[in-house]
Amino acid sequence: MAAEDEGRTEEPSEHRLEQARKEGRVAKSQDIASALILLLGVIVLIFLGKWLLTQCIYIFRFYFSRVHAPDVTDANLMSAFLVNYLRMLAPVAIVALVAAIVSNIIQNKGFIFSTKPLEPNFSKITPKFGEYFRKTIFSGKGLFNIAKSFIKVFIIIIVGYLTIKRNIFTLIEIVSNGQILSAIGKIASIASQILIIVAILFLLLSIPDYFVQRREHRESMKMTKQEVKQEYKELEGDPEVKGRLMQMQRQLLSQNIPKAVKEADVVITNPTHFAVVLKFEEDKDEAPVVTAKGQDETALYIKQLARDNDIPIREDRPLARGLYTDVQIGAIIPSGYIGIIAEVYSHLDKFRSKQR
């Protein structure tokens, strides 16, 4: 069923995608990992073929020469067999593990570790055959997977047929001459050619599969309008609560600003956007203190209060913006502003002298 049919019409948010990523639910193609494991595994077998054959011959000779010995089932012999077997298996297993990890890192743009997929889901214990057949056969995704499987089988048949046909007479000649080791080597060579060509073709086939999986994953992550609203409330807070908080803040500011402006020495403004109120008490403060500040409508309100109370207004764009950004209410001005503020206060003294 398409996401739109379920009411999920909204694109997934970044938060939803990030949460799914933490849970291990990401867009990835298993075909890329399988093809890469097959390709690198075959390459390792080609490079280590002679060594593996030598090891196999040694193990067979060692154990077949002792089949009549009384200690054939001895624990030491079994442990020696396991050690040799694991030593032969280790290179291929390590390369396959690295290929699987690398393929997932490339697809997921980074390493993801999550135990969420390992958690038991008891709702899946009861078989739902109708839903299973609907998803695996009677759906676009199911038909795509079936077509992909047929293409893979077709590739294996064609590549195998052409490769064997090209080498069949050579192989018959070697077998007819009784050259067993040469025949084994030739068969291994033919098998390697088939596997490498098939792995490369599978890898190319997995590229469009990856983009299909990405589209399917994003489709599955789509959200309903209600889910979008709920997520916004959880992340940003309920809009009603935020509105009430902003209203309370404005009330507090409106109560404190008039007092701060009435007692101020000067108001530094950017003509329309910023206003910063300064007050300096010599016996109490080391430097002028920012007692109030505001932006836009609050800045216009502060300027109007300053005019009503005959408080000097100094227009200085860089200074107003800098003080508004760098200094909190109740804090003294930083040392970097001392020089220019001293100039403001010197002009303020001249202004007061003229008034007197």
Side-chain angles (χ1 to χ4, degrees):
M1 186 180 292
E4 286 75 9
D5 297 334
E6 298 176 351
R8 296 184 288 113
T9 57
E10 307 302 312
E11 290 295 322
S13 64
E14 292 298 325
H15 175 73
R16 186 180 180 91
L17 293 173
E18 184 61 28
Q19 288 299 114
R21 180 182 176 85
K22 289 179 180 178
E23 295 175 359
R25 294 185 290 131
V26 291
K28 60 181 178 180
S29 171
Q30 295 295 343
D31 290 351
I32 292 180
S34 301
L36 199 58
I37 290 170
L38 177 60
L39 179 61
L40 296 181
V42 172
I43 292 174
V44 170
L45 287 175
I46 291 172
F47 278 102
L48 299 180
K50 290 183 178 180
W51 177 77
L52 291 173
L53 180 61
T54 303
Q55 291 296 312
C56 287
I57 292 172
Y58 167 76
I59 291 173
F60 276 113
R61 284 177 176 173
F62 181 83
Y63 287 101
F64 276 113
S65 64
R66 287 168 173 77
V67 291
H68 298 294
D71 60 345
V72 69
T73 59
D74 186 66
N76 292 328
L77 289 175
M78 294 300 296
S79 62
F81 170 77
L82 288 175
V83 169
N84 284 306
Y85 176 73
L86 292 175
R87 186 172 62 179
M88 294 168 60
L89 184 65
V92 180
I94 292 171
V95 169
L97 178 63
V98 171
I101 294 173
V102 169
S103 67
N104 281 281
I105 289 175
I106 293 173
Q107 292 184 77
N108 301 327
K109 299 177 182 179
F111 182 78
I112 299 176
F113 178 78
S114 174
T115 58
K116 186 73 175 178
L118 301 177
E119 295 179 4
N121 188 350
F122 296 103
S123 63
K124 295 183 177 180
I125 293 178
T126 304
K128 300 177 181 178
F129 295 107
E131 185 178 351
Y132 172 77
F133 285 113
R134 180 178 62 80
K135 288 184 177 180
T136 56
I137 299 177
F138 304 107
S139 66
K141 183 178 180 180
L143 293 174
F144 175 77
N145 288 331
I146 291 173
K148 190 171 59 175
S149 299
F150 276 114
I151 292 172
K152 288 181 178 180
V153 172
F154 179 75
I155 288 173
I156 294 173
I157 292 173
I158 295 299
V159 172
Y161 171 76
L162 294 176
T163 307
I164 294 173
K165 181 182 178 182
R166 190 173 62 248
N167 296 276
I168 187 66
F169 294 109
T170 305
L171 186 59
I172 292 173
E173 182 182 351
I174 293 174
V175 173
S176 61
N177 293 332
Q179 301 174 2
I180 302 300
L181 290 178
S182 298
I184 293 174
K186 188 61 178 178
I187 292 172
S189 175
I190 294 172
S192 300
Q193 293 176 39
I194 293 172
L195 290 174
I196 286 181
I197 295 171
V198 166
I200 292 173
L201 293 176
F202 279 8
L203 194 58
L204 295 175
L205 184 64
S206 65
I207 295 174
D209 179 65
Y210 170 70
F211 289 102
V212 170
Q213 297 301 329
R214 280 186 60 180
R215 186 181 64 81
E216 289 288 336
H217 175 70
R218 196 163 187 87
E219 189 77 8
S220 69
M221 288 288 103
K222 280 188 174 181
M223 308 166 68
T224 63
K225 293 183 183 294
Q226 183 59 35
E227 287 175 334
V228 173
K229 291 179 181 178
Q230 185 64 32
E231 184 181 276
Y232 178 80
K233 287 182 180 180
E234 292 174 356
L235 295 179
E236 303 294 335
D238 193 323
E240 295 182 2
V241 175
K242 288 184 71 177
R244 288 197 296 269
L245 290 173
M246 292 179 66
Q247 185 178 3
M248 292 173 61
Q249 289 175 351
R250 283 195 294 267
Q251 289 176 353
L252 289 172
L253 284 173
S254 63
Q255 293 171 3
N256 295 330
I257 287 176
K259 180 182 178 182
V261 174
K262 287 179 182 178
E263 297 176 354
D265 296 327
V266 64
V267 175
I268 311 295
T269 69
N270 175 333
T272 55
H273 296 296
F274 301 104
V276 181
V277 181
L278 297 181
K279 180 176 176 59
F280 177 53
E281 298 180 58
E282 294 184 10
D283 57 342
K284 180 180 176 183
D285 302 321
E286 299 178 0
V289 176
V290 173
T291 56
K293 62 180 180 177
Q295 186 176 5
D296 298 331
E297 292 181 0
T298 307
L300 295 175
Y301 177 56
I302 291 173
K303 288 175 67 176
Q304 185 60 46
L305 287 174
R307 293 190 191 97
D308 294 342
N309 291 276
D310 296 324
I311 303 298
I313 297 175
R314 171 69 178 268
E315 291 190 359
D316 189 320
R317 294 173 185 268
L319 180 59
R321 180 182 288 274
L323 291 174
Y324 182 86
T325 304
D326 298 339
V327 189
Q328 298 297 321
I329 296 175
I332 63 173
I333 62 170
S335 58
Y337 291 96
I338 292 294
I340 191 168
I341 294 298
E343 183 182 347
V344 170
Y345 269 82
S346 67
H347 285 290
L348 186 59
D349 291 337
K350 294 178 182 178
F351 173 75
R352 288 172 178 168
S353 298
K354 288 182 180 179
Q355 278 191 325
R356 286 195 294 270

